[in-house]
Amino acid sequence: AVPFILGANIGTTITAFIAAMFNSNTAISIAIAHFLFNFIGVLIFFPIPVVKDIPIKLASGLGRLTLKYRLAGFLYVIVMFFFIPFSLIYLNKDAVDVRELTYEKQNFKTQQKEYYRIITKTFKNQSVSNWSIYDDETSNQQDPSKIISVYRKRNMLFINNELYELNKPGFCKDGEDENGRYRMCIREIIRKLVLNPSLSVDSVYVFEKQQHQPSPDSTISLSFISATQNILIKKETYDKAGNVLSKEELFSIEKK
């Protein structure tokens, strides 16, 4: 009976995972966490007979207690499924720093201007944060169009597998992307960058990126990275003649 129960327990999580694949990225994450929780529990309890008997004895004891005192079963449900989960949520409500970043994007070729949002979730005492990118500036879009990870270790900042080394002005590094090999250099460090009357950012590194073998269509990009907040402040793209092609700039920061 025990193997059947364990198999059914894992099977329900796999079913939830398959269903979540047709829904959203958030549902997939929850389904994976649900599956791993049950699967690790099986690995802990099933192989060792002594450990395997513990939940069975506890369940039998709770059943006998509930037959004798009906209130015991009700209290068990209240404590295990309501009091403990909500207590953990309340105690850890400040463990995650959530911010909503709104960016203004301009295309100087088409003279179009649009906005997009990024929801950042940073866990305190950790160097990893998740960015959920939404194509519009409103809250109508349910699922993000893209999710990327941001990792900071000392003077190295990874944004979606793009490495920014926070070094001295004039520092350069070589790399390669879908457009070929490139060189990225730190042009300057801005102590305080004022974006608008209500928004300013400190310690902004300006990175200049251009291809090793430029073509007629190649561009030069400037990325403004905040060393204190680990976010992209502004990005400008130029053609070989120095004309601005596009610009993305942080418009507002709202703490959730």
Side-chain angles (χ1 to χ4, degrees):
V2 174
F4 174 77
I5 295 174
L6 294 176
N9 198 14
I10 295 179
T12 55
T13 61
I14 295 178
T15 304
F17 175 72
I18 295 173
M21 292 178 63
F22 299 94
N23 190 0
S24 66
N25 294 323
T26 303
I28 292 176
S29 301
I30 296 174
I32 292 176
H34 189 196
F35 168 75
L36 291 176
F37 179 82
N38 286 275
F39 183 70
I40 293 173
V42 170
L43 295 180
I44 294 175
F45 286 96
F46 184 69
I48 307 174
V50 178
V51 178
K52 181 174 63 177
D53 293 336
I54 293 177
I56 298 177
K57 291 180 179 179
L58 290 175
S60 299
L62 179 62
R64 289 191 297 269
L65 184 63
T66 304
L67 287 176
K68 189 175 182 181
Y69 305 102
R70 295 297 177 91
L71 186 60
F74 177 75
L75 291 177
Y76 172 80
V77 173
I78 294 297
V79 171
M80 294 300 296
F81 296 98
F82 291 93
F83 179 76
I84 293 180
F86 283 103
S87 298
L88 294 176
I89 293 173
Y90 177 78
L91 294 174
N92 291 277
K93 63 180 181 179
D94 296 328
V96 181
D97 180 28
V98 181
R99 295 179 298 173
E100 180 176 329
L101 313 178
T102 303
Y103 287 84
E104 182 184 73
K105 186 176 181 180
Q106 299 182 59
N107 190 322
F108 289 90
K109 285 186 175 181
T110 60
Q111 298 299 320
Q112 289 183 346
K113 182 185 295 186
E114 57 186 12
Y115 295 86
Y116 67 92
R117 298 179 302 121
I118 298 180
I119 305 296
T120 66
K121 295 182 180 181
T122 305
F123 297 89
K124 293 186 177 181
N125 301 322
Q126 294 188 19
S127 54
V128 179
S129 60
N130 295 325
W131 290 7
S132 299
I133 302 176
Y134 297 83
D135 292 331
D136 61 348
E137 77 275 16
T138 65
S139 58
N140 297 329
Q141 187 178 353
Q142 297 296 325
D143 298 327
S145 57
K146 189 176 182 181
I147 297 178
I148 63 177
S149 297
V150 178
Y151 176 71
R152 172 72 182 271
K153 184 176 182 182
R154 295 174 184 170
N155 68 328
M156 293 187 297
L157 177 64
F158 294 87
I159 301 179
N160 196 27
N161 298 325
E162 182 78 77
L163 172 60
Y164 297 93
E165 295 189 46
L166 308 178
N167 214 309
K168 297 179 180 180
F171 173 82
C172 298
K173 78 175 188 69
D174 296 327
E176 187 173 0
D177 58 13
E178 64 276 4
N179 298 319
R181 294 187 58 80
Y182 65 84
R183 165 156 288 200
M184 181 183 292
C185 300
I186 300 177
R187 173 184 285 189
E188 62 176 320
I189 301 175
I190 305 174
R191 291 188 176 181
K192 186 174 183 179
L193 178 63
V194 179
L195 299 173
N196 54 60
S198 60
L199 181 60
S200 62
V201 185
D202 299 329
S203 301
V204 177
Y205 285 69
V206 183
F207 291 86
E208 181 179 0
K209 178 181 178 181
Q210 55 182 323
Q211 302 302 128
H212 271 299
Q213 297 179 346
S215 63
D217 297 331
S218 62
T219 59
I220 300 173
S221 64
L222 295 181
S223 298
F224 296 71
I225 304 294
S226 170
T228 56
Q229 302 193 44
N230 300 327
I231 58 176
L232 176 67
I233 302 300
K234 185 167 60 171
K235 186 174 183 179
E236 300 174 347
T237 304
Y238 298 84
D239 59 14
K240 294 182 64 177
N243 301 314
V244 182
L245 299 178
S246 63
K247 182 172 71 171
E248 301 175 31
E249 184 172 306
L250 182 63
F251 184 76
S252 66
I253 300 178
E254 182 179 351
K255 189 176 179 63
K256 294 295 186 177

